[in-house]
Amino acid sequence: MSTTLAAGAGLDFTLAQQLTVIALCALTAFISHMALAVFNDGVRPFLLDFVQGRTTRSATTAVSFGLSAGFIFGLGAPMALSTGVLNPWLVFLPTDILGMLAPKKWIAPILGAAWGAVVVFGLNGANDAAHDLPVDFLTAMQQMSTPILFLFTLFPVLAITKQFGRRWGGIAGALEVALVVATMKLWPNMFAGALAMAAGVLLLIGLAVSKDLRQRRADREAGTAEPVLADDDPMMSLFSASAARLRRFLPLFMVLGAGVCVLAQMHIFGGGEATSFLIAKGHYSEAAQVDFYRVFGFIPLIATTALASGAYGIAGFTLVYPIGYLMPNPWLAAIAGALVFAAEVLALTWIGKVLGRLPSVRDSSEHLRGAIGDTLQLAILFGSLMAANAMGGGLGILLVGGLYLLNESMGRPVVRMAAAPAAVIVGGVLLNVLYWLDLFTPVKG
């Protein structure tokens, strides 16, 4: 499978696509204003205090901005400009902030729609202007695709190693490498990591479920099985109240699910870093596989934070992403997205109870999220240095690597995941300035 994007990856949208993005941004800002859902998992736990009146709207907005700004400008915008595909950090994180910022309910969708307009009309102009520069750092950023796609394949191996030890980690690693080699040889048009990731995730889930079943059997035999939470338990009461709050707004959530699924079906949106590059290359089924595997790392986090805070995720369990990629038309995508969100919201309490009985599966989810972060941090850093070399040779590496190290030494004012892509853009701007000062000659090729 080719890992090279077209040199002019653009952000040209049809009228239907423009209207979908604008309408969805308006809707997500409105939902954020009502504290019913946000995209940023770190913000969601703070919403319980806001809903119960223990904190103010302005304080919650400040938290949302502080936790999201780095991802918007350091990861969301660079990824969209380099791939020509929108992503949730660029589309949904700003509407988290704008919705919470709006003082009135009717202002929130206006602010959200305005951001959607900026995305669909403003990014294309910025994209064209950047490609016309002497040092085209956006085309150079496409070098990030190869390390992101291939290193991301290993996240199940890292999760298995951390949870079940080196022996199982070694087995998983050997299995994944063998499957990558076999896929490249036998099915060259398929994303090489697709089968490997499937095998790794299935092995992790199998090991976790097996461990939980063995432990439950041993507990029953020893008479030490943990009691199930009673309905009058304070934690269970909080979960029930939160689930009931979300169910009251089920029609609104179904509209949200329909909108997110339609956006994914239009193939102008990718749910993650690797997915964005796969969508840009037209590998929609592989993109669906990648985002489907990621779901296992986020269901416990999203379910438990939703039950604890009374606020859901803008993309739910993110199942609407892979379903949307595979839908043949927007109408079916809208129906599927609405039904998926309805099922998720209605099943929240049951999912919480099931997760309470499967501690190893919960641990697997945490290890998966950590492994996804570890693999992507390395892949994005390595890919950013490749981009730096492509646009400026040794001087490019000095600027980009130096900015990344400076960010580390300053205590990471820009979150680590976003620091390297942001450094590529800043480094690209600096190289263009040096060119205009006749102090730098762009790298050819």
Side-chain angles (χ1 to χ4, degrees):
M1 184 195 78
S2 170
T3 56
T4 303
L5 296 179
L11 287 155
D12 293 313
F13 302 111
T14 66
L15 178 61
Q17 291 168 345
Q18 291 170 346
L19 293 176
T20 299
V21 173
I22 292 171
L24 186 58
C25 285
L27 176 63
T28 53
F30 178 73
I31 289 174
S32 170
H33 175 86
M34 297 179 68
L36 286 173
V38 290
F39 181 77
N40 193 321
D41 295 320
V43 174
R44 201 171 302 117
F46 291 92
L47 293 184
L48 180 62
D49 285 341
F50 173 72
V51 170
Q52 296 183 348
R54 292 194 296 267
T55 189
T56 63
R57 181 173 295 279
S58 59
T60 309
T61 302
V63 169
S64 182
F65 181 82
L67 293 175
S68 302
F71 287 102
I72 296 168
F73 300 109
L75 187 62
M79 288 293 294
L81 289 169
S82 61
T83 62
V85 175
L86 301 178
N87 57 69
W89 306 286
L90 182 66
V91 177
F92 298 140
L93 287 182
T95 59
D96 282 0
I97 301 168
L98 293 171
M100 191 56 60
L101 175 68
K104 301 291 185 181
K105 188 181 295 187
W106 61 269
I107 297 177
I110 295 175
L111 293 178
W115 176 254
V118 169
V119 169
V120 295
F121 297 118
L123 279 181
N124 194 47
N127 183 69
D128 292 341
H131 282 305
D132 290 336
L133 292 172
V135 180
D136 183 358
F137 53 86
L138 293 186
T139 297
M141 287 184 73
Q142 294 170 10
Q143 296 285 332
M144 296 170 63
S145 65
T146 300
I148 285 177
L149 289 174
F150 280 89
L151 286 176
F152 184 74
T153 300
L154 293 174
F155 78 86
V157 177
L158 270 65
I160 290 171
T161 305
K162 289 180 179 179
Q163 186 171 5
F164 296 103
R166 289 176 290 181
R167 181 171 68 89
W168 276 112
I171 292 171
L175 175 63
E176 285 211 5
V177 170
L179 287 172
V180 167
V181 173
T183 302
M184 295 176 73
K185 182 69 175 178
L186 300 175
W187 305 285
N189 293 323
M190 180 189 297
F191 169 46
L195 291 178
M197 279 190 288
V201 170
L202 288 173
L203 179 58
L204 175 64
I205 294 172
L207 290 170
V209 172
S210 176
K211 181 179 179 180
D212 281 335
L213 292 178
R214 288 197 307 271
Q215 186 62 49
R216 291 184 66 185
R217 190 181 306 116
D219 289 343
R220 282 197 301 269
E221 291 173 356
T224 58
E226 292 186 6
V228 178
L229 289 176
D231 290 337
D232 59 352
D233 184 278
M235 185 61 70
M236 201 63 204
S237 298
L238 173 63
F239 283 7
S240 297
S242 296
R245 177 176 188 258
L246 296 176
R247 286 196 298 270
R248 285 200 302 272
F249 294 93
L250 186 61
L252 187 60
F253 281 115
M254 292 177 71
V255 174
L256 175 62
V260 176
C261 201
V262 167
L263 183 64
Q265 190 278 331
M266 289 178 165
H267 299 148
I268 59 169
F269 175 91
E273 299 88 346
T275 317
S276 293
F277 284 107
L278 288 169
I279 293 291
K281 300 173 199 299
H283 296 284
Y284 307 131
S285 60
E286 287 90 342
Q289 286 180 276
V290 169
D291 272 353
F292 179 72
Y293 303 144
R294 288 173 66 113
V295 168
F296 295 103
F298 288 90
I299 285 181
L301 172 67
I302 294 169
T304 52
T305 55
L307 288 170
S309 67
Y312 200 40
I314 286 294
F317 294 147
T318 70
L319 275 170
V320 287
Y321 294 163
I323 291 171
Y325 303 148
L326 299 177
M327 285 289 114
N329 61 66
W331 304 109
L332 287 177
I335 295 170
L339 292 176
V340 167
F341 256 54
E344 290 178 6
V345 171
L346 293 174
L348 267 178
T349 303
W350 177 80
I351 291 171
K353 290 179 179 179
V354 170
L355 291 173
R357 299 188 183 105
L358 297 173
S360 294
V361 174
R362 292 201 310 272
D363 290 345
S364 293
S365 169
E366 294 179 9
H367 287 301
L368 275 176
R369 290 198 311 277
I372 288 171
D374 290 343
T375 53
L376 286 175
Q377 281 179 9
L378 176 61
I380 290 172
L381 175 59
F382 187 65
S384 296
L385 291 175
M386 290 174 63
N389 183 64
M391 69 183 183
L395 180 59
I397 292 175
L398 172 66
L399 291 174
V400 173
L403 288 168
Y404 179 86
L405 293 173
L406 181 63
N407 184 69
E408 289 286 306
S409 66
M410 294 173 65
R412 301 191 196 118
V414 178
V415 290
R416 180 178 281 169
M417 188 80 76
V424 174
I425 291 183
V426 174
V429 171
L430 291 174
L431 288 174
N432 278 290
V433 172
L434 291 174
Y435 169 81
W436 290 322
L437 295 174
D438 201 23
L439 296 174
F440 172 73
T441 302
V443 174
K444 302 295 181 183

